[in-house]
Amino acid sequence: MGAGGRMNVAAASDKPHAFKRVPVSKPPFELSDLKKAVPPHCFKRSLVRSFAALFRDIIIVTVLYYLAATIIPVLPKPLTYVAWPLYWFFQGAYLMGLWVIGHECGHHGFSEYQWLDDTVGFIVHSLILTPYFGFKYSHRTHHANTNSIEYDEVWIPKRKSDKLYSEILNNPLGSFVVFVFKIVLGFPLYFVFNLYGRKYEKGITSHFYPYSPIFNDSERFQIFLTDLGVFGTLYGVYRLALIKGTEWVINFYGMPILFMSGFFILLTYLHHTHPSIPHYDSTEWDWLRGALATVDRNFGFLNHAFHDVTRTHAVHHLFPTIPHYHTFEARLAVMPILGDYYKYDDTPILEAVWRETKDCIFIEPEEVNGEKKGIYWFYK
C-alpha cells in the first residue's frame, strides 16, 4: 500500500481474532456493578505486602548488580559482549518493576497513608529519573480522560492531516525509524517535552516545568520538589562518574535505565494502542467507555518483573487504587461482566509493537450511512 493510503487494519489482518473490535455502544453495566463483583479485600492495601514487593525489587536489583560487578570483569573479552547486554536487559526489567511500585504510590495504592505513598514514590521514581509528582498529576488526567482525543494526556493518536506520519513515515522504513525512536528516546522526550502527550494551546508543556499547563497552581511547588529529586540523582551520578569512571556509570546505571525506559514505552504504548480499540471525541466520549478501551498484554516471563500489571491494565483503569497484588483476582472477577468489552491480546510483544507501529498510523472517524460519528478507529 502506498504512503497515505487508507486501509482498515482490522480487515487486513491475518489474525482476525486479535482485531475484533470492542463494542462502542453504552455498556449494559455500570461501574457500580463491576465494583460489586470484585471481592472487597481487593480494595485493601497492605503495608506488609506493598513493602515486600518493594524490597523484592531492591534485593533483585542489588543481586544483579553484585553478580555483574563480580563476574563480568573477569570474563574473557568476547563473553562480555553477551554478558553486559544480559545484565542491562534484566536490570532494566526489574528497575521497571520499581517504576511500577512508584506508579502505584501515585495512585494511592501502596498504603492507607497518602504521605507514605508520596514519600516512597518520590524516592523510588527520583532514583530512576522519573518526575514523580509531574507524572502523578498528568497521569491523573490520563485516567480521567482515557481515549478522549481532546483531553487524554498521553499516546494521542495522529490524524490523517499529519502528513509526516500519514504519508512520509507510512512505509516499512518509516515505521522502523518510528519504532526505534520511540523505544530509545520516547521516555525522556515524553517527560521533558511532553512528546506523545496532549497539545496545549499555551505554555511550555513539560513534566519538569512547574508552570506548565499540565498542572494547576496547588501542584506547582511539588513539581519543584520533583525537579530537586531527579536533578539530585543526576548530580549523584555525575559525582559517581568522577570516582568510578564514565564507563562504569554507563554500564551499571546508564544502560539499565535506557532498557527500563524502553520497557516503559512498550507497556504504556501497547496498553493504549491497538487496531480494535476506539477513541472518542466529545460528542461520544464518556468515562466508562474510555476506560474500557484499553488492552491487556502478556509479556511472558517479564510479567514477574513488572508485577503482572501487563495483564491487568483494564481493571487498573476501572479501579486504579487496587494494589497490584489484588488486580489479577479483580480482573477475573469482572471479566464475565465485561464480556466483549474486555480486550486481551497475547500476540508476542515484539511482533505486537511492530504491528501496531506500522498499522496504527492515524485515526479517522467512523462513518454510518455516509455520516461521520465521534468514534475513531486506527487506519494506515
Side-chain angles (χ1 to χ4, degrees):
M1 163 170 276
R6 188 175 188 272
M7 180 185 72
N8 184 334
V9 294
S13 172
D14 60 351
K15 295 183 178 180
H17 69 282
F19 289 92
K20 181 182 178 182
R21 287 179 170 180
V22 299
V24 294
S25 58
K26 182 176 175 59
F29 50 81
E30 301 289 344
L31 183 64
S32 58
D33 300 317
L34 299 172
K35 187 172 184 179
K36 290 176 185 176
V38 177
H41 70 265
C42 289
F43 295 95
K44 296 181 179 179
R45 294 156 288 200
S46 165
L47 267 179
V48 173
R49 296 191 68 175
S50 293
F51 271 109
L54 173 63
F55 290 141
R56 183 210 77 165
D57 292 339
I58 293 173
I59 290 170
I60 292 175
V61 165
T62 302
V63 169
L64 287 171
Y65 162 74
Y66 175 78
L67 291 175
T70 304
I71 297 174
I72 296 179
V74 300
L75 289 175
K77 189 69 173 180
L79 291 181
T80 62
Y81 295 113
V82 176
W84 277 123
L86 284 174
Y87 168 71
W88 299 335
F89 179 90
F90 285 102
Q91 189 70 293
Y94 281 96
L95 287 176
M96 186 62 208
L98 278 173
W99 188 95
V100 168
I101 297 299
H103 159 263
E104 192 158 280
C105 290
H107 280 293
H108 195 19
F110 186 83
S111 76
E112 299 294 330
Y113 310 100
Q114 184 68 66
W115 67 268
L116 180 60
D117 287 24
D118 284 342
T119 300
V120 172
F122 174 75
I123 294 171
V124 168
H125 269 187
S126 295
L127 291 175
I128 50 180
L129 304 184
T130 301
Y132 173 73
F133 287 109
F135 179 73
K136 173 183 175 179
Y137 294 131
S138 74
H139 194 59
R140 170 203 58 199
T141 304
H142 163 61
H143 271 259
N145 300 278
T146 308
N147 281 22
S148 162
I149 64 173
E150 291 112 343
Y151 301 111
D152 199 354
E153 195 63 43
V154 68
W155 295 120
I156 310 301
K158 303 298 180 182
R159 304 298 296 273
K160 190 176 181 179
S161 57
D162 189 333
K163 302 300 183 183
L164 174 64
Y165 285 86
S166 64
E167 294 186 6
I168 298 173
L169 296 175
N170 192 5
N171 54 71
L173 178 60
S175 295
F176 179 75
V177 171
V178 171
F179 171 80
V180 173
F181 182 87
K182 186 162 47 190
I183 297 298
V184 176
L185 295 175
F187 180 88
L189 292 181
Y190 170 62
F191 287 118
V192 177
F193 299 111
N194 205 38
L195 185 70
Y196 307 122
R198 173 183 167 189
K199 304 302 180 187
Y200 289 85
E201 293 183 2
K202 296 180 180 180
I204 300 172
T205 51
S206 171
H207 287 77
F208 291 97
Y209 183 55
Y211 296 97
S212 170
I214 297 173
F215 316 117
N216 61 46
D217 290 342
S218 67
E219 297 161 353
R220 305 199 192 284
F221 176 71
Q222 291 177 311
I223 307 306
F224 278 111
L225 292 181
T226 288
D227 294 349
L228 288 176
V230 172
F231 289 111
T233 297
L234 288 173
Y235 179 73
V237 171
Y238 163 73
R239 297 296 300 178
L240 197 58
L242 295 180
I243 299 170
K244 294 284 192 176
T246 302
E247 183 178 354
W248 187 96
V249 168
I250 290 173
N251 280 330
F252 284 105
Y253 182 79
M255 291 304 294
I257 289 292
L258 183 64
F259 273 74
M260 181 209 76
S261 67
F263 287 130
F264 167 86
I265 292 296
L266 282 176
L267 262 72
T268 57
Y269 177 72
L270 290 177
H271 280 152
H272 294 285
T273 307
H274 196 280
S276 72
I277 61 172
H279 289 74
Y280 303 93
D281 67 21
S282 57
T283 66
E284 286 281 350
W285 183 88
D286 64 71
W287 183 87
L288 184 56
R289 284 192 295 165
L292 290 172
T294 60
V295 186
D296 282 352
R297 306 276 190 168
N298 187 355
F299 276 66
F301 67 92
L302 287 175
N303 290 333
H304 177 266
F306 304 155
H307 298 288
D308 217 12
V309 299
T310 45
R311 297 186 290 174
T312 59
H313 194 71
V315 78
H316 169 67
H317 263 271
L318 295 169
F319 306 109
T321 61
I322 292 182
H324 69 270
Y325 40 82
H326 288 318
T327 50
F328 201 83
E329 183 180 359
R331 167 186 178 251
L332 294 177
V334 300
M335 280 177 61
I337 301 175
L338 294 178
D340 289 339
Y341 285 88
Y342 173 73
K343 187 68 182 180
Y344 177 79
D345 188 350
D346 61 355
T347 302
I349 293 306
L350 289 180
E351 178 186 344
V353 71
W354 172 246
R355 181 191 68 199
E356 265 64 294
T357 299
K358 68 183 180 65
D359 286 351
C360 299
I361 304 297
F362 57 87
I363 55 170
E364 285 275 85
E366 184 178 273
E367 292 188 22
V368 178
N369 298 324
E371 181 182 353
K372 292 184 177 180
K373 301 294 185 180
I375 303 168
Y376 294 71
W377 300 97
F378 278 111
Y379 291 90
K380 63 177 286 188

